[in-house]
Amino acid sequence: MSASTTETALEQSGNGHRMPVYFVSHGGPNLLDDTEYPAGQPIARGLRQIGDDIRALNPRGIVVISGHWESNSGTRGGLQVNGLSATPQPLIYDFYGFPPHMYRETFEHKVDPKLTQQVACLFAKAGVPIDTVDRGLDHGVWVVLKKAGLAGSAFPIVQLSLLGTESMDDHLRMGEILAPLRDQSIVIVGSGMAVHNLRDLFGSGPSSGGAIRPYVKPFDMEVDRAVIESAPDARRAAMVALASSDNLRKAHPTLEHLLPLHVAVGAAGYQANTKKMLEAYQLSVSWSCYKME
């Protein structure tokens, strides 16, 4: 089947209902520790609510953009998307210094090369080079989706890389290109952290203790203003303007955990109604999560 035939067939498979877009803050593998994050704990409860929300939508699939996969395609402006074959690849345990049992965690899931091809076709049509590869899900995908209760779901999960740049404008454009998937029963999820400074987190003892760093809530509020409060005709500019925030490089020494939010906002469209589904802080991170529809 040709790429154009595959694209046409998939375009006809939607259910007529436009799917929402989510941004989730994903944390590390210790998120799966039911002692540290029991079911009634606010972060665990909020993520489970998001998972229940997605499951109730009965989507045809999920496309996830994680802060732990930046394209190394070697082509300027290029992307990578997983799902070349129909067999799920081994999970990626891309974290260090955690207890041995966390490297034995599992996440049962499906893949769908047809959905992968649909994603690739959208970017190819937009003139963005993209490589289709076989790659396992990294912890920015499987840890948070497992905590959300989505292991073993009937729908497939496809992961798309970030671009190999820190351009907020380019990542908003990524989301804009993905947006048509929403009308084909596909949920788009950006997975990062609203504030992500691991140097301050691990340099200060246990992640759950100590005073919240002074930049955390101010930058989180800037994100809220851009994502929730900005006018539709100003939202795109507000998202790009985060690059000029005095708190940016304190909240995000590197931007890979913020850029999935830009992809999500671009996919949602700038007139989207945005709801904050989780607000929680730990020392130098923000767990803010958003639903956009």
Side-chain angles (χ1 to χ4, degrees):
M1 183 180 290
S2 69
S4 60
T5 303
T6 298
E7 185 178 14
T8 300
L10 288 167
E11 284 176 352
Q12 295 172 348
S13 64
N15 63 8
H17 174 65
R18 173 166 286 190
M19 291 290 169
V21 179
Y22 296 84
F23 173 79
V24 295
S25 290
H26 62 239
N30 55 316
L31 180 63
L32 299 177
D33 187 332
D34 289 336
T35 301
E36 189 172 351
Y37 294 96
Q41 191 265 358
I43 294 169
R45 187 172 63 246
L47 291 173
R48 187 56 188 242
Q49 180 185 355
I50 292 170
D52 290 347
D53 205 50
I54 291 174
R55 193 182 293 278
L57 292 167
N58 191 28
R60 186 168 63 82
I62 296 181
V63 174
V64 188
I65 303 91
S66 158
H68 290 275
W69 190 13
E70 297 174 272
S71 176
N72 62 356
S73 67
T75 303
R76 187 180 184 277
L79 289 166
Q80 294 169 290
V81 59
N82 79 340
L84 185 62
S85 70
T87 303
Q89 301 300 300
L91 299 179
I92 300 175
Y93 299 89
D94 51 338
F95 43 81
Y96 309 95
F98 288 90
H101 71 271
M102 292 184 178
Y103 299 88
R104 296 191 293 270
E105 288 280 357
T106 61
F107 180 70
E108 183 181 351
H109 67 285
K110 296 180 178 180
V111 295
D112 181 3
K114 291 181 180 179
L115 177 55
T116 296
Q117 183 63 29
Q118 185 180 10
V119 172
C121 284
L122 286 173
F123 285 98
K125 184 183 289 188
V128 179
I130 185 166
D131 296 325
T132 304
V133 301
D134 271 331
R135 178 188 188 270
L137 302 177
D138 59 55
H139 85 267
V141 179
W142 66 264
V143 167
V144 70
L145 294 187
K146 185 170 185 175
K147 193 65 175 182
L150 295 177
S153 294
F155 46 79
I157 298 168
V158 168
Q159 184 175 357
L160 174 66
S161 75
L162 292 168
L163 293 160
T165 76
E166 289 194 333
S167 168
M168 294 182 181
D169 185 79
D170 288 350
H171 284 88
L172 287 163
R173 177 62 180 146
M174 261 186 75
E176 294 163 7
I177 293 169
L178 285 171
L181 293 176
R182 299 176 57 205
D183 294 319
Q184 312 304 322
S185 296
I186 304 301
V187 170
I188 298 168
V189 178
S191 177
M193 292 290 284
V195 175
H196 182 258
N197 187 323
L198 295 187
R199 179 180 55 215
D200 284 355
L201 185 69
F202 292 120
S204 306
S207 62
S208 59
I212 305 300
R213 290 293 180 262
Y215 53 81
V216 174
K217 291 185 179 180
F219 188 76
D220 200 66
M221 290 175 63
E222 290 183 61
V223 171
D224 281 354
R225 286 194 291 270
V227 175
I228 301 174
E229 301 171 17
S230 61
D233 61 354
R235 185 161 298 173
R236 197 183 200 286
M239 290 300 299
V240 173
L242 290 172
S244 301
S245 168
D246 291 340
N247 292 305
L248 175 64
R249 290 299 177 174
K250 301 170 194 172
H252 290 276
T254 55
L255 300 189
E256 75 285 340
H257 278 68
L258 180 62
L259 293 172
L261 175 62
H262 288 74
V263 180
V265 170
Y270 305 114
Q271 298 188 18
N273 179 38
T274 303
K275 174 184 177 183
K276 194 168 192 176
M277 297 193 73
L278 172 59
E279 182 176 294
Y281 309 100
Q282 290 177 327
L283 205 65
S284 62
V285 300
S286 163
W287 287 85
S288 290
C289 297
Y290 303 91
K291 176 182 181 180
M292 308 165 216
E293 55 185 345

